[in-house]
Amino acid sequence: MAEKQFNTVGPSKPELHYLLDPLARVDLQEIEALIEAQRYFVLHAPRQTGKTTVLLALMEHLNAHGRYRALYANIETAQAARGNVERGITAACSAIARSAQVYLGDTRLDDWLLRGEGRAVEAEEKLSRLLAHWSQLDPARPAVLLLDEVDALVGDTLISLLRQIRAGYAQRPQAFPQTVVLCGVRDVRDYRIHSGGGDIITGGSAFNIKAESLRLGNFSREETVALWRQHTEATGQVFDEAIWPELSQDTQGQPWLVNALGHECTWKDKALRLNRAQPVTLAHYWAARERLIQSRATHLDQLTDKLREPRVHRVIAPLLAGGQALWDPLSSIDDVEYVEDTGLVALRPQMRAANRIYARLIEQVLGRDVQAPSPTA
Ligand SMILES: Nc1ncnc2c1ncn2[C@@H]1O[C@H](COP(=O)(O)OP(=O)(O)OP(=O)(O)O)[C@@H](O)[C@H]1O
Ligand SMILES: [Mg+2]
């Protein structure tokens, strides 16, 4: 079997990647209790924290247990429709039906949508009718829907999605999912949705049935080290202990950064890859860190693009000036939250770069020194 790797692209898979048990990163007991109690809830965290990995593991866990029919669906494709409800909801419905095929081998949602009753149903009702149909297919095993990238949707499409889920809520679990989990970077409560009519509708009002918001955090220092040690266990290649405090301060446990640095040290460094008997030293680590920052790999590249947007620049301007101000009062709340969602900076109790690598990125792109977090205890 091929050697496992540190994952830097997409959700992590146990057969391919070094992995911390995704279900140990959340309070599984609490999640199971919420499902048991037929609650709807939110799971949120900034980009590249491991949300999708958790949802996929949760689906597998619930289905293995056999009590529920759990389905993961990513509805990101509905984003392209912007505020066009017809196109947006159709895309979301297709994504759910397609997921049922892929993960559950169930083609009946697609049948309903493309060849059955669903064809004649208006977009304003299509999603709730699809979920009702799906839930009724097997009353002995209530449906649990894990909806990913919900806040990729905007405007009237997002409002319609939230309202359709709310509309069916009272019919659960017989004729609607026992639980719907909404996953994205932001808590639903904090959505401010610009409707086509010019109103701003808050997520809390469009979706007032949310019982709980669970936030996925970064890795602890112990988890960070444990993930890297999986490489040592698998290959025998050891890391200098002096790496741990650096790694911890550079990443603050940000999951993608922890993996990307691991990948640089153990894979991109060819000498170290070809000779697993050679220990990884602090000097190797520093060189890997430099390469990672210079390479602007995937996630860093996306953050770089964001840093070039004027609204982002505006929000973090006080940070660049070395100031202590929270943010420029001229920045709109939308902009501040947009920046917060990227995970680039932490805004509380005062604004600072979220970790040392992001601080370096901000310096490089915007050409000014910024305050990095102090060492973790
Ligand atoms: N359980 C885990 N163990 C180790 N690394 C993980 C784990 N979960 C996630 N990661 C790291 O985080 C990265 C992103 O994972 P995932 O796609 O699940 O996050 P996400 O929060 O859904 O991201 P996005 O917001 O971009 O959709 C992975 O490529 C991997 O580097
Ligand atoms: Mg994801």
Side-chain angles (χ1 to χ4, degrees), residues 6-13 17-25 44-56 72 74 76 148-149 183-185 216 219 223 227 230 254-260 299 302 341:
F6 287 98
N7 180 27
T8 57
V9 197
S12 294
K13 297 183 172 181
H17 307 126
Y18 301 128
L19 188 76
L20 296 170
D21 178 3
L23 296 180
R25 301 190 60 211
H44 70 114
R47 283 280 158 222
Q48 295 292 302
T49 308
K51 301 177 294 294
T52 301
T53 303
V54 167
L55 291 183
L56 289 169
Y72 166 91
N74 182 330
E76 198 176 7
D148 201 2
E149 299 281 354
C183 184
V185 288
L216 191 62
F219 298 155
E223 287 172 325
L227 184 71
Q230 289 183 12
Q254 202 288 329
W256 184 87
L257 285 177
V258 171
N259 279 276
H299 175 54
Q302 286 164 12
D341 289 347

Short mmCIF file of all heavy atoms in Angstrom, two decimals, residues 6-13 17-25 44-56 72 74 76 148-149 183-185 216 219 223 227 230 254-260 299 302 341, ligand 1:
data_model
loop_
_atom_site.label_atom_id
_atom_site.label_comp_id
_atom_site.label_asym_id
_atom_site.label_seq_id
_atom_site.Cartn_x
_atom_site.Cartn_y
_atom_site.Cartn_z
N PHE A 6 0.22 13.89 4.07
CA PHE A 6 -0.52 15.00 4.65
C PHE A 6 -1.39 15.57 3.54
O PHE A 6 -0.91 15.81 2.43
CB PHE A 6 0.45 16.08 5.15
CG PHE A 6 1.18 15.69 6.41
CD1 PHE A 6 2.47 15.17 6.34
CD2 PHE A 6 0.58 15.83 7.65
CE1 PHE A 6 3.15 14.81 7.50
CE2 PHE A 6 1.25 15.48 8.82
CZ PHE A 6 2.54 14.97 8.74
N ASN A 7 -2.65 15.77 3.84
CA ASN A 7 -3.59 16.23 2.81
C ASN A 7 -3.59 17.74 2.69
O ASN A 7 -3.65 18.46 3.69
CB ASN A 7 -4.99 15.75 3.19
CG ASN A 7 -6.05 16.16 2.17
OD1 ASN A 7 -5.72 16.35 1.00
ND2 ASN A 7 -7.28 16.28 2.61
N THR A 8 -3.53 18.24 1.46
CA THR A 8 -3.61 19.69 1.28
C THR A 8 -4.74 20.09 0.34
O THR A 8 -4.92 21.27 0.05
CB THR A 8 -2.29 20.25 0.72
OG1 THR A 8 -2.01 19.59 -0.51
CG2 THR A 8 -1.14 20.04 1.68
N VAL A 9 -5.48 19.12 -0.16
CA VAL A 9 -6.56 19.44 -1.10
C VAL A 9 -7.84 18.71 -0.74
O VAL A 9 -7.90 17.48 -0.80
CB VAL A 9 -6.18 19.03 -2.55
CG1 VAL A 9 -7.10 19.72 -3.54
CG2 VAL A 9 -4.74 19.34 -2.88
N GLY A 10 -8.85 19.45 -0.36
CA GLY A 10 -10.17 18.86 -0.12
C GLY A 10 -10.23 18.08 1.18
O GLY A 10 -9.28 18.06 1.96
N PRO A 11 -11.39 17.45 1.42
CA PRO A 11 -11.56 16.70 2.67
C PRO A 11 -10.57 15.55 2.81
O PRO A 11 -10.13 14.99 1.82
CB PRO A 11 -13.00 16.19 2.60
CG PRO A 11 -13.48 16.43 1.22
CD PRO A 11 -12.60 17.44 0.59
N SER A 12 -10.22 15.24 4.04
CA SER A 12 -9.25 14.18 4.30
C SER A 12 -9.91 12.81 4.30
O SER A 12 -11.04 12.66 4.77
CB SER A 12 -8.57 14.42 5.64
OG SER A 12 -7.78 15.59 5.58
N LYS A 13 -9.20 11.82 3.78
CA LYS A 13 -9.71 10.45 3.73
C LYS A 13 -8.78 9.52 4.49
O LYS A 13 -7.57 9.52 4.22
CB LYS A 13 -9.79 9.97 2.27
CG LYS A 13 -10.74 10.76 1.43
CD LYS A 13 -10.82 10.17 0.04
CE LYS A 13 -11.94 10.86 -0.74
NZ LYS A 13 -12.07 10.32 -2.09
N HIS A 17 -4.78 9.63 3.83
CA HIS A 17 -4.14 10.75 4.52
C HIS A 17 -3.94 10.48 6.00
O HIS A 17 -4.70 9.75 6.61
CB HIS A 17 -5.02 12.01 4.39
CG HIS A 17 -5.39 12.35 2.98
ND1 HIS A 17 -6.68 12.55 2.56
CD2 HIS A 17 -4.61 12.53 1.88
CE1 HIS A 17 -6.70 12.83 1.26
NE2 HIS A 17 -5.45 12.83 0.83
N TYR A 18 -2.93 11.15 6.56
CA TYR A 18 -2.83 11.20 8.02
C TYR A 18 -4.05 11.97 8.51
O TYR A 18 -4.44 12.97 7.91
CB TYR A 18 -1.55 11.91 8.44
CG TYR A 18 -0.29 11.25 7.92
CD1 TYR A 18 0.68 11.97 7.23
CD2 TYR A 18 -0.10 9.88 8.11
CE1 TYR A 18 1.83 11.36 6.74
CE2 TYR A 18 1.05 9.26 7.62
CZ TYR A 18 2.00 10.00 6.93
OH TYR A 18 3.12 9.39 6.44
N LEU A 19 -4.64 11.48 9.57
CA LEU A 19 -5.95 12.01 9.94
C LEU A 19 -6.16 11.95 11.44
O LEU A 19 -5.87 10.94 12.09
CB LEU A 19 -7.01 11.13 9.26
CG LEU A 19 -8.45 11.59 9.33
CD1 LEU A 19 -8.67 12.74 8.36
CD2 LEU A 19 -9.39 10.44 8.98
N LEU A 20 -6.71 13.05 11.98
CA LEU A 20 -7.21 12.99 13.36
C LEU A 20 -8.67 12.58 13.24
O LEU A 20 -9.37 13.06 12.34
CB LEU A 20 -7.11 14.37 14.01
CG LEU A 20 -5.69 14.91 14.19
CD1 LEU A 20 -5.72 16.37 14.62
CD2 LEU A 20 -4.92 14.07 15.21
N ASP A 21 -9.12 11.73 14.11
CA ASP A 21 -10.50 11.26 14.03
C ASP A 21 -11.45 12.45 13.96
O ASP A 21 -11.55 13.22 14.92
CB ASP A 21 -10.81 10.39 15.27
CG ASP A 21 -12.26 9.92 15.27
OD1 ASP A 21 -12.99 10.22 14.29
OD2 ASP A 21 -12.65 9.26 16.25
N PRO A 22 -12.12 12.64 12.81
CA PRO A 22 -12.96 13.83 12.65
C PRO A 22 -14.06 13.90 13.72
O PRO A 22 -14.41 14.99 14.18
CB PRO A 22 -13.58 13.65 11.27
CG PRO A 22 -12.75 12.64 10.58
CD PRO A 22 -12.15 11.77 11.63
N LEU A 23 -14.58 12.77 14.11
CA LEU A 23 -15.69 12.78 15.06
C LEU A 23 -15.22 13.07 16.49
O LEU A 23 -16.04 13.39 17.36
CB LEU A 23 -16.46 11.46 15.01
CG LEU A 23 -17.15 11.22 13.66
CD1 LEU A 23 -17.90 9.90 13.66
CD2 LEU A 23 -18.09 12.38 13.31
N ALA A 24 -13.91 12.99 16.70
CA ALA A 24 -13.38 13.38 18.02
C ALA A 24 -13.19 14.89 18.08
O ALA A 24 -12.92 15.45 19.14
CB ALA A 24 -12.06 12.67 18.28
N ARG A 25 -13.33 15.56 16.93
CA ARG A 25 -13.16 17.02 16.91
C ARG A 25 -14.46 17.75 17.25
O ARG A 25 -14.48 18.95 17.37
CB ARG A 25 -12.66 17.47 15.52
CG ARG A 25 -11.33 16.83 15.13
CD ARG A 25 -10.78 17.47 13.89
NE ARG A 25 -10.57 18.89 14.11
CZ ARG A 25 -10.66 19.81 13.17
NH1 ARG A 25 -10.97 19.46 11.94
NH2 ARG A 25 -10.47 21.08 13.45
N HIS A 44 -20.37 25.43 12.00
CA HIS A 44 -19.66 26.44 11.20
C HIS A 44 -18.22 26.63 11.67
O HIS A 44 -17.87 26.32 12.81
CB HIS A 44 -20.42 27.77 11.21
CG HIS A 44 -20.41 28.49 12.53
ND1 HIS A 44 -19.78 29.69 12.71
CD2 HIS A 44 -20.95 28.17 13.71
CE1 HIS A 44 -19.94 30.08 13.96
NE2 HIS A 44 -20.64 29.17 14.60
N ALA A 45 -17.39 27.11 10.75
CA ALA A 45 -15.98 27.39 11.02
C ALA A 45 -15.41 28.07 9.78
O ALA A 45 -15.96 27.93 8.69
CB ALA A 45 -15.21 26.09 11.29
N PRO A 46 -14.30 28.81 9.95
CA PRO A 46 -13.68 29.44 8.79
C PRO A 46 -13.23 28.39 7.75
O PRO A 46 -13.24 27.20 8.02
CB PRO A 46 -12.45 30.16 9.37
CG PRO A 46 -12.73 30.31 10.81
CD PRO A 46 -13.59 29.15 11.19
N ARG A 47 -12.81 28.90 6.61
CA ARG A 47 -12.33 28.05 5.52
C ARG A 47 -11.25 27.07 5.99
O ARG A 47 -10.43 27.40 6.84
CB ARG A 47 -11.72 28.94 4.42
CG ARG A 47 -12.74 29.63 3.58
CD ARG A 47 -13.29 28.68 2.51
NE ARG A 47 -14.60 29.13 2.05
CZ ARG A 47 -15.63 28.32 1.83
NH1 ARG A 47 -15.53 27.03 2.05
NH2 ARG A 47 -16.78 28.80 1.40
N GLN A 48 -11.30 25.87 5.41
CA GLN A 48 -10.21 24.88 5.57
C GLN A 48 -9.97 24.50 7.04
O GLN A 48 -8.83 24.45 7.50
CB GLN A 48 -8.92 25.41 4.93
CG GLN A 48 -9.03 25.56 3.43
CD GLN A 48 -9.14 24.22 2.73
OE1 GLN A 48 -8.27 23.37 2.86
NE2 GLN A 48 -10.23 23.99 1.99
N THR A 49 -11.06 24.25 7.73
CA THR A 49 -10.95 23.85 9.12
C THR A 49 -11.28 22.36 9.30
O THR A 49 -10.98 21.77 10.34
CB THR A 49 -11.90 24.71 9.98
OG1 THR A 49 -11.65 26.08 9.72
CG2 THR A 49 -11.70 24.48 11.46
N GLY A 50 -11.93 21.76 8.29
CA GLY A 50 -12.27 20.34 8.41
C GLY A 50 -13.77 20.07 8.51
O GLY A 50 -14.18 18.98 8.89
N LYS A 51 -14.58 21.06 8.14
CA LYS A 51 -16.04 20.90 8.23
C LYS A 51 -16.54 19.74 7.37
O LYS A 51 -17.30 18.88 7.83
CB LYS A 51 -16.77 22.19 7.79
CG LYS A 51 -16.41 23.41 8.59
CD LYS A 51 -17.11 24.66 8.06
CE LYS A 51 -16.70 25.09 6.67
NZ LYS A 51 -15.30 25.55 6.55
N THR A 52 -16.14 19.73 6.12
CA THR A 52 -16.63 18.70 5.21
C THR A 52 -16.15 17.32 5.66
O THR A 52 -16.91 16.34 5.61
CB THR A 52 -16.15 19.00 3.77
OG1 THR A 52 -16.66 20.29 3.40
CG2 THR A 52 -16.65 17.97 2.79
N THR A 53 -14.92 17.25 6.13
CA THR A 53 -14.39 15.98 6.63
C THR A 53 -15.25 15.46 7.79
O THR A 53 -15.56 14.27 7.87
CB THR A 53 -12.92 16.16 7.08
OG1 THR A 53 -12.16 16.67 5.98
CG2 THR A 53 -12.31 14.84 7.54
N VAL A 54 -15.66 16.38 8.67
CA VAL A 54 -16.52 15.99 9.80
C VAL A 54 -17.88 15.50 9.31
O VAL A 54 -18.38 14.46 9.75
CB VAL A 54 -16.70 17.18 10.78
CG1 VAL A 54 -17.83 16.90 11.76
CG2 VAL A 54 -15.41 17.46 11.54
N LEU A 55 -18.48 16.24 8.38
CA LEU A 55 -19.82 15.86 7.91
C LEU A 55 -19.81 14.49 7.22
O LEU A 55 -20.72 13.69 7.41
CB LEU A 55 -20.38 16.91 6.95
CG LEU A 55 -20.74 18.27 7.54
CD1 LEU A 55 -21.35 19.17 6.46
CD2 LEU A 55 -21.72 18.15 8.71
N LEU A 56 -18.77 14.25 6.42
CA LEU A 56 -18.70 12.96 5.73
C LEU A 56 -18.53 11.82 6.73
O LEU A 56 -19.15 10.75 6.59
CB LEU A 56 -17.55 12.96 4.71
CG LEU A 56 -17.79 13.83 3.47
CD1 LEU A 56 -16.51 14.00 2.66
CD2 LEU A 56 -18.90 13.26 2.59
N TYR A 72 -25.15 13.40 3.06
CA TYR A 72 -24.36 14.62 2.91
C TYR A 72 -24.59 15.19 1.53
O TYR A 72 -24.56 14.45 0.54
CB TYR A 72 -22.87 14.29 3.09
CG TYR A 72 -21.95 15.40 2.63
CD1 TYR A 72 -21.54 16.39 3.51
CD2 TYR A 72 -21.53 15.47 1.30
CE1 TYR A 72 -20.72 17.43 3.07
CE2 TYR A 72 -20.71 16.51 0.86
CZ TYR A 72 -20.31 17.48 1.75
OH TYR A 72 -19.51 18.51 1.32
N ASN A 74 -23.45 18.77 -0.85
CA ASN A 74 -22.81 20.07 -1.00
C ASN A 74 -23.59 20.87 -2.05
O ASN A 74 -23.68 20.45 -3.20
CB ASN A 74 -21.36 19.85 -1.46
CG ASN A 74 -20.60 21.15 -1.59
OD1 ASN A 74 -21.18 22.21 -1.89
ND2 ASN A 74 -19.30 21.10 -1.38
N GLU A 76 -23.04 23.94 -3.12
CA GLU A 76 -22.25 25.06 -3.64
C GLU A 76 -22.63 25.45 -5.08
O GLU A 76 -22.54 26.62 -5.45
CB GLU A 76 -20.78 24.65 -3.60
CG GLU A 76 -19.81 25.78 -3.70
CD GLU A 76 -18.38 25.28 -3.55
OE1 GLU A 76 -18.15 24.06 -3.50
OE2 GLU A 76 -17.49 26.14 -3.49
N ASP A 148 -24.01 21.07 3.17
CA ASP A 148 -22.72 21.76 3.22
C ASP A 148 -22.71 22.97 2.28
O ASP A 148 -23.36 22.96 1.24
CB ASP A 148 -21.61 20.78 2.81
CG ASP A 148 -20.23 21.20 3.30
OD1 ASP A 148 -20.10 22.23 3.98
OD2 ASP A 148 -19.25 20.48 2.99
N GLU A 149 -21.95 24.00 2.66
CA GLU A 149 -21.79 25.23 1.85
C GLU A 149 -23.09 26.00 1.70
O GLU A 149 -23.35 26.61 0.65
CB GLU A 149 -21.21 24.90 0.46
CG GLU A 149 -19.84 24.26 0.49
CD GLU A 149 -18.71 25.26 0.70
OE1 GLU A 149 -18.96 26.46 0.72
OE2 GLU A 149 -17.57 24.81 0.88
N CYS A 183 -24.30 23.67 7.26
CA CYS A 183 -22.87 23.86 7.46
C CYS A 183 -22.34 24.95 6.54
O CYS A 183 -22.74 25.05 5.38
CB CYS A 183 -22.14 22.54 7.19
SG CYS A 183 -20.39 22.62 7.53
N GLY A 184 -21.45 25.78 7.07
CA GLY A 184 -20.84 26.83 6.27
C GLY A 184 -19.83 27.57 7.11
O GLY A 184 -19.49 27.12 8.21
N VAL A 185 -19.36 28.70 6.60
CA VAL A 185 -18.36 29.44 7.38
C VAL A 185 -19.02 30.26 8.48
O VAL A 185 -18.41 30.56 9.49
CB VAL A 185 -17.47 30.35 6.51
CG1 VAL A 185 -16.51 29.54 5.69
CG2 VAL A 185 -18.28 31.25 5.64
N LEU A 216 -16.54 24.52 14.86
CA LEU A 216 -15.38 23.64 14.79
C LEU A 216 -14.14 24.50 14.99
O LEU A 216 -13.96 25.51 14.31
CB LEU A 216 -15.36 22.97 13.42
CG LEU A 216 -14.37 21.83 13.21
CD1 LEU A 216 -14.69 20.67 14.15
CD2 LEU A 216 -14.45 21.34 11.76
N PHE A 219 -6.86 22.73 15.64
CA PHE A 219 -6.25 21.65 16.40
C PHE A 219 -5.59 22.23 17.66
O PHE A 219 -5.03 23.33 17.61
CB PHE A 219 -5.14 20.94 15.61
CG PHE A 219 -5.61 20.27 14.33
CD1 PHE A 219 -4.71 20.08 13.28
CD2 PHE A 219 -6.91 19.81 14.18
CE1 PHE A 219 -5.10 19.45 12.11
CE2 PHE A 219 -7.31 19.18 13.00
CZ PHE A 219 -6.40 19.00 11.97
N GLU A 223 -2.93 17.85 19.46
CA GLU A 223 -3.46 17.25 18.22
C GLU A 223 -2.52 17.51 17.05
O GLU A 223 -2.30 16.63 16.20
CB GLU A 223 -4.85 17.83 17.92
CG GLU A 223 -5.93 17.31 18.84
CD GLU A 223 -7.26 18.03 18.64
OE1 GLU A 223 -7.26 19.25 18.37
OE2 GLU A 223 -8.30 17.39 18.79
N LEU A 227 -0.79 14.54 14.93
CA LEU A 227 -0.96 14.34 13.49
C LEU A 227 0.40 14.12 12.82
O LEU A 227 0.58 13.20 12.02
CB LEU A 227 -1.69 15.53 12.85
CG LEU A 227 -2.00 15.35 11.36
CD1 LEU A 227 -3.09 14.31 11.15
CD2 LEU A 227 -2.40 16.66 10.70
N GLN A 230 1.97 10.75 13.30
CA GLN A 230 1.46 9.64 12.48
C GLN A 230 2.43 9.33 11.35
O GLN A 230 2.57 8.19 10.93
CB GLN A 230 0.08 9.98 11.90
CG GLN A 230 -1.02 9.99 12.95
CD GLN A 230 -2.40 10.26 12.35
OE1 GLN A 230 -2.59 10.22 11.13
NE2 GLN A 230 -3.35 10.55 13.22
N GLN A 254 -4.22 25.75 12.85
CA GLN A 254 -5.10 25.85 11.68
C GLN A 254 -4.91 24.57 10.85
O GLN A 254 -3.78 24.29 10.39
CB GLN A 254 -4.74 27.11 10.88
CG GLN A 254 -5.86 27.64 9.99
CD GLN A 254 -6.13 26.78 8.77
OE1 GLN A 254 -5.22 26.15 8.24
NE2 GLN A 254 -7.37 26.71 8.34
N PRO A 255 -5.96 23.77 10.65
CA PRO A 255 -5.77 22.42 10.11
C PRO A 255 -5.07 22.35 8.75
O PRO A 255 -4.19 21.53 8.55
CB PRO A 255 -7.20 21.87 10.04
CG PRO A 255 -7.88 22.54 11.18
CD PRO A 255 -7.34 23.94 11.18
N TRP A 256 -5.43 23.24 7.83
CA TRP A 256 -4.78 23.16 6.53
C TRP A 256 -3.29 23.50 6.62
O TRP A 256 -2.45 22.83 6.03
CB TRP A 256 -5.46 24.09 5.51
CG TRP A 256 -4.88 23.95 4.13
CD1 TRP A 256 -5.26 23.05 3.17
CD2 TRP A 256 -3.78 24.70 3.58
NE1 TRP A 256 -4.47 23.20 2.05
CE2 TRP A 256 -3.56 24.19 2.27
CE3 TRP A 256 -2.96 25.72 4.06
CZ2 TRP A 256 -2.56 24.69 1.43
CZ3 TRP A 256 -1.96 26.22 3.23
CH2 TRP A 256 -1.77 25.71 1.92
N LEU A 257 -2.98 24.54 7.40
CA LEU A 257 -1.56 24.93 7.54
C LEU A 257 -0.74 23.80 8.16
O LEU A 257 0.39 23.54 7.73
CB LEU A 257 -1.44 26.19 8.41
CG LEU A 257 -1.84 27.52 7.78
CD1 LEU A 257 -1.72 28.63 8.80
CD2 LEU A 257 -0.99 27.83 6.55
N VAL A 258 -1.30 23.14 9.16
CA VAL A 258 -0.58 22.05 9.82
C VAL A 258 -0.25 20.95 8.79
O VAL A 258 0.88 20.45 8.73
CB VAL A 258 -1.41 21.46 10.99
CG1 VAL A 258 -0.78 20.19 11.53
CG2 VAL A 258 -1.57 22.50 12.09
N ASN A 259 -1.23 20.64 7.95
CA ASN A 259 -1.00 19.63 6.92
C ASN A 259 -0.04 20.11 5.83
O ASN A 259 0.81 19.36 5.37
CB ASN A 259 -2.33 19.25 6.26
CG ASN A 259 -3.12 18.26 7.09
OD1 ASN A 259 -2.89 17.06 7.01
ND2 ASN A 259 -4.02 18.75 7.91
N ALA A 260 -0.20 21.37 5.43
CA ALA A 260 0.62 21.87 4.33
C ALA A 260 2.09 21.91 4.73
O ALA A 260 2.97 21.58 3.93
CB ALA A 260 0.13 23.26 3.91
N HIS A 299 -4.82 27.13 -0.84
CA HIS A 299 -5.51 27.91 0.18
C HIS A 299 -4.85 29.28 0.38
O HIS A 299 -5.54 30.30 0.48
CB HIS A 299 -5.53 27.10 1.48
CG HIS A 299 -6.11 27.81 2.65
ND1 HIS A 299 -7.36 28.37 2.61
CD2 HIS A 299 -5.62 28.05 3.89
CE1 HIS A 299 -7.61 28.94 3.79
NE2 HIS A 299 -6.57 28.76 4.57
N GLN A 302 -5.77 31.57 -2.43
CA GLN A 302 -7.11 32.15 -2.29
C GLN A 302 -7.10 33.31 -1.29
O GLN A 302 -7.76 34.32 -1.49
CB GLN A 302 -8.11 31.08 -1.84
CG GLN A 302 -8.48 30.13 -2.97
CD GLN A 302 -9.14 28.86 -2.48
OE1 GLN A 302 -9.54 28.75 -1.33
NE2 GLN A 302 -9.25 27.88 -3.37
N ASP A 341 -14.66 35.74 8.26
CA ASP A 341 -14.95 34.42 7.70
C ASP A 341 -13.76 33.78 6.99
O ASP A 341 -13.66 32.57 6.88
CB ASP A 341 -16.11 34.50 6.69
CG ASP A 341 -17.44 34.77 7.38
OD1 ASP A 341 -17.49 34.64 8.61
OD2 ASP A 341 -18.40 35.12 6.68
N1 LIG B 1 -9.63 15.26 10.69
C1 LIG B 1 -8.60 15.86 10.09
N2 LIG B 1 -7.33 15.46 10.36
C2 LIG B 1 -6.29 16.09 9.76
N3 LIG B 1 -6.41 17.09 8.88
C3 LIG B 1 -7.63 17.53 8.58
C4 LIG B 1 -8.79 16.93 9.15
N4 LIG B 1 -9.87 17.57 8.67
C5 LIG B 1 -9.42 18.51 7.83
N5 LIG B 1 -8.07 18.50 7.76
C6 LIG B 1 -7.24 19.44 6.96
O1 LIG B 1 -8.07 20.53 6.58
C7 LIG B 1 -8.20 20.61 5.16
C8 LIG B 1 -9.59 21.00 4.79
O2 LIG B 1 -10.53 20.00 5.14
P1 LIG B 1 -12.07 20.16 4.73
O3 LIG B 1 -12.19 20.26 3.25
O4 LIG B 1 -12.82 19.10 5.43
O5 LIG B 1 -12.36 21.59 5.42
P2 LIG B 1 -13.56 22.59 5.21
O6 LIG B 1 -13.70 23.32 6.51
O7 LIG B 1 -14.75 21.88 4.70
O8 LIG B 1 -12.98 23.58 4.09
P3 LIG B 1 -13.81 24.61 3.15
O9 LIG B 1 -14.34 25.70 4.06
O10 LIG B 1 -12.80 25.15 2.20
O11 LIG B 1 -14.91 23.81 2.51
C9 LIG B 1 -7.77 19.25 4.64
O12 LIG B 1 -7.24 19.36 3.33
C10 LIG B 1 -6.72 18.85 5.65
O13 LIG B 1 -5.51 19.52 5.36
#
